[in-house]
Amino acid sequence: MKKRIVVIGSLNADFVVSVHRFPLPGETVVGHSFTVFPGGKGANQAYAAARLGGTVSMVGRVGTDAQGSWLREHLEAAGVDVNFVGEDRTVSSGVASISIDHAGQNSIVIVPGANGTFGVEQLIESRELIASAAIVLLQLEIPIETVYEAARLAKEAGALVILDPAPAVEVSNDLLALVDYLTPNETELATLVGMPLEVEFDERSIAARARELRARGARKVIVKLGVRGALLVTQDEEQLWPALKVATVDTTAAGDWFNAALAVALAAGEAETKAGMFATAAAACAVMRKGAQPGELTRAEVEELLKRQQSTSC
Ligand code: ATP
Ligand code: RIB
């Protein structure tokens, strides 16, 4: 049985400042810490999946700068196969400017750099690797044509496709039809269904919007709802996976740890509900620490949190 998880997506250097509150337009505020962390939605998912016990390959692009080497090495040290992380000599590696407020919420600007030049031609070089995948994890920080082709190759090879439609952009029905699990947060959900970003969804309208996306082709939808958890919508049912109560330090990449853990559990043959609970626990462990790829987060910790949660809810 195939077990490999192939992540096709971005690698970024995250320049992170902590502030009490985000500045208003035109305002300057004084922050209280600055750190550069490895990041990028693709790399975060690859790193997290490897830390949680998956067999993982990363496909993506960096620049020929120091950040590019550092990002690759960080993944490799976690056990991720980086043979298909290529280099582009003409642009810098991707970067993200991230502010974290006192509640652990973030505000992010990304500059794609080499992620933005990762075209279909480079992707095709990893065709055999994609064909060996049980699960392919995708996000939207590389060109959409590349994401589409990756999903197409994955489906052709019989792999399960999990698409994190982040950052929020509209997506074609052709792409949705290749997706087994679509995992938007609320902002991304609003964008996908053409609603204003400020709209406040209640649980019923979230499920209705998710069903719209199913009708457009996505097989299953999991809407990520931050502290409220995540809602799975399939043809037959809806399941709410409540978030675990933990001390929130930094929510950056909670969604990446969620998707990675879901993939690890599904690749190991776990049932959907169990995979969802594992993903919820992994995401909770991630929000308790700073940075998108925290080195000290282990599978043992995730299992321990799950066990504690289950014993208190009995
Ligand atoms: P990001 O873009 O920051 O990576 P996201 O917006 O895609 O994340 P969220 O809904 O914020 O996704 O988080 C994903 C999952 O992480 C949630 O469904 C929930 O299970 C868990 N989670 C998020 N925030 C918290 C929190 N403060 N406490 C516990 N669990 C959380
Ligand atoms: O999902 C979190 C990631 O989004 C950060 O690591 C940052 O690089 C942005 O891509």
Side-chain angles (χ1 to χ4, degrees), residues 10 12 14 39-41 44 96 98 108 110 141 252-253 256 292:
S10 59
N12 291 331
D14 289 354
K41 292 188 191 300
N44 296 343
I98 303 183
I108 305 182
I110 58 164
E141 287 188 337
T252 311
D256 297 329

Side-chain angles (χ1 to χ4, degrees), residues 41 106 164 183 185 188 223-227 229-230 241-246 248 251-256 258 279-280 283-284 287:
K41 292 188 191 300
N106 60 53
D164 191 1
T183 64
N185 65 16
E188 291 142 11
V223 186
K224 292 186 274 191
L225 304 166
V227 279
W241 297 326
L244 305 189
K245 286 194 176 48
V246 293
T248 305
T251 59
T252 311
D256 297 329
F258 184 97
T280 298
V287 304

Side-chain angles (χ1 to χ4, degrees), residues 129-284:
L129 175 68
I130 297 171
S132 74
I135 298 186
V136 170
L137 289 175
L138 301 167
Q139 324 75 34
L140 299 177
E141 287 188 337
I142 58 173
I144 193 86
E145 305 75 35
T146 310
V147 173
Y148 176 82
E149 187 58 17
R152 202 188 62 73
L153 289 172
K155 278 279 93 179
E156 196 176 87
L160 195 78
V161 174
I162 303 181
L163 172 64
D164 191 1
V169 289
E170 285 174 28
V171 163
S172 71
N173 293 355
D174 288 348
L175 176 54
L176 291 179
L178 297 168
V179 174
D180 293 293
Y181 288 92
L182 181 73
T183 64
N185 65 16
E186 282 172 279
T187 318
E188 291 142 11
L189 181 69
T191 303
L192 288 168
V193 299
M195 293 181 78
L197 296 188
E198 314 74 57
V199 70
E200 295 235 343
F201 289 121
D202 59 27
E203 207 177 293
R204 265 179 49 199
S205 60
I206 289 169
R209 301 290 85 81
R211 283 196 295 272
E212 254 178 66
L213 294 171
R214 289 200 61 256
R216 286 176 50 196
R219 193 155 73 89
K220 301 182 182 188
V221 178
I222 300 174
V223 186
K224 292 186 274 191
L225 304 166
V227 279
R228 286 181 290 152
L231 182 72
L232 166 76
V233 178
T234 71
Q235 184 179 353
D236 313 311
E237 57 165 351
E238 285 163 27
Q239 275 184 37
L240 181 69
W241 297 326
L244 305 189
K245 286 194 176 48
V246 293
T248 305
V249 172
D250 176 5
T251 59
T252 311
D256 297 329
W257 280 80
F258 184 97
N259 280 35
L262 182 76
V264 169
L266 293 175
E270 297 291 2
E272 205 165 60
T273 304
K274 205 162 168 207
M277 285 163 66
F278 183 64
T280 298

